[in-house]
Amino acid sequence: NAGVTQTPKFRILKIGQSMTLQCTQDMNHNYMYWYRQDPGMGLKLIYYSVGAGITDKGEVPNGYNVSRSTTEDFPLRLELAAPSQTSVYFCASSYGGEGKQYFGPGTRLTVT
Amino acid sequence: GIQVEQSPPDLILQEGANSTLRCNFSDSVNNLQWFHQNPWGQLINLFYIPSGTKQNGRLSATTVATERYSLLYISSSQTTDSGVYFCAVGGWGGSNYKLTFGKGTLLTVNP
């Protein structure tokens, strides 16, 4: 199993551009999550999904959108990128809400 | 929301030493997980431990839910143990999967 994979690994955006961060898991987990990690801080939940077709906001959803059309994929869309969105983005998945969360390798995004 | 405090913020050890990392939380929890973020940024789940004690090799963890704290023990530390250790908790009420992370403990193990 590859586990949780994310693409791209690195990206530089100009202010106002848009992009989609890709996340795929092959563990047949029903729950998936997007977090961001700012320097020296813990992770903050952006969006989560409890199954295909079901998504909801986390702690810091502004400026982001998600969709979940399949069990495996959970892309994160950034519209009109802003410098405040410079961060490392992690995707995670779990089997059930009380399961261990398994993380992808992260995407380092810089908005200039 | 639940507040999570980890201590110490930084810890420097010589290889072979033992250490204890602490996680305090402000409300009762139904989900508690410990993670290790290695120097390359990868997050590894160490334990799912909302209560009780678990051991995995040189690592063990104990959560005393009634007193709102968890401890992570690292014995005979190795340089590969270096990195940041995060505690993350989820509350009751059907949303225990929405984890709140502490700021972490930065562990440096010197050879």
Side-chain angles (χ1 to χ4, degrees):
Chain A
N1 285 351
V4 181
T5 57
Q6 293 182 237
T7 56
K9 286 185 169 50
F10 303 94
R11 184 71 184 268
I12 299 174
L13 281 182
K14 294 190 186 304
I15 294 172
Q17 287 185 321
S18 300
M19 77 165 293
T20 299
L21 282 66
Q22 301 292 343
C23 174
T24 299
Q25 54 91 9
D26 64 358
M27 297 176 282
N28 202 31
H29 286 170
N30 49 348
Y31 284 64
M32 294 187 75
Y33 315 84
W34 275 106
Y35 293 89
R36 60 177 287 172
Q37 183 180 28
D38 298 323
M41 302 294 287
L43 282 71
K44 293 190 176 180
L45 183 64
I46 304 172
Y47 269 95
Y48 64 95
S49 169
V50 302
I54 306 170
T55 63
D56 206 348
K57 297 177 181 179
E59 184 183 356
V60 289
N62 291 345
Y64 308 95
N65 276 301
V66 294
S67 59
R68 181 111 180 260
S69 56
T70 67
T71 299
E72 295 79 18
D73 300 306
F74 190 39
L76 178 71
R77 177 82 176 161
L78 277 72
E79 304 281 2
L80 298 175
S84 60
Q85 293 178 304
T86 294
S87 191
V88 181
Y89 291 84
F90 288 97
C91 179
S93 70
S94 67
Y95 186 73
E98 293 182 3
K100 275 188 167 185
Q101 293 191 16
Y102 295 89
F103 280 75
T107 294
R108 185 175 296 273
L109 175 67
T110 302
V111 182
T112 62
Chain B
I2 298 176
Q3 306 300 311
V4 181
E5 290 188 8
Q6 293 187 240
S7 60
D10 301 276
L11 185 59
I12 300 175
L13 300 174
Q14 287 300 121
E15 204 167 22
N18 302 329
S19 61
T20 301
L21 283 58
R22 187 176 181 102
C23 171
N24 291 334
F25 39 94
S26 61
D27 205 346
S28 60
V29 299
N30 192 27
N31 187 346
L32 189 147
Q33 303 189 29
W34 281 98
F35 297 88
H36 174 220
Q37 186 169 38
N38 66 24
W40 296 271
Q42 178 69 47
L43 280 153
I44 304 297
N45 193 305
L46 300 175
F47 294 103
Y48 169 78
I49 186 166
S51 63
T53 297
K54 289 187 178 179
Q55 180 155 6
N56 184 3
R58 295 181 296 104
L59 273 60
S60 64
T62 294
T63 298
V64 183
T66 53
E67 297 188 21
R68 300 181 185 172
Y69 72 89
S70 183
L71 302 174
L72 179 69
Y73 304 96
I74 304 174
S75 64
S76 304
S77 58
Q78 301 176 356
T79 56
T80 52
D81 295 330
S82 294
V84 182
Y85 289 80
F86 289 104
C87 168
V89 304
W92 293 85
S95 61
N96 58 353
Y97 46 86
K98 295 166 70 173
L99 296 180
T100 298
F101 280 72
K103 293 185 178 181
T105 292
L106 175 60
L107 175 65
T108 303
V109 181
N110 292 321

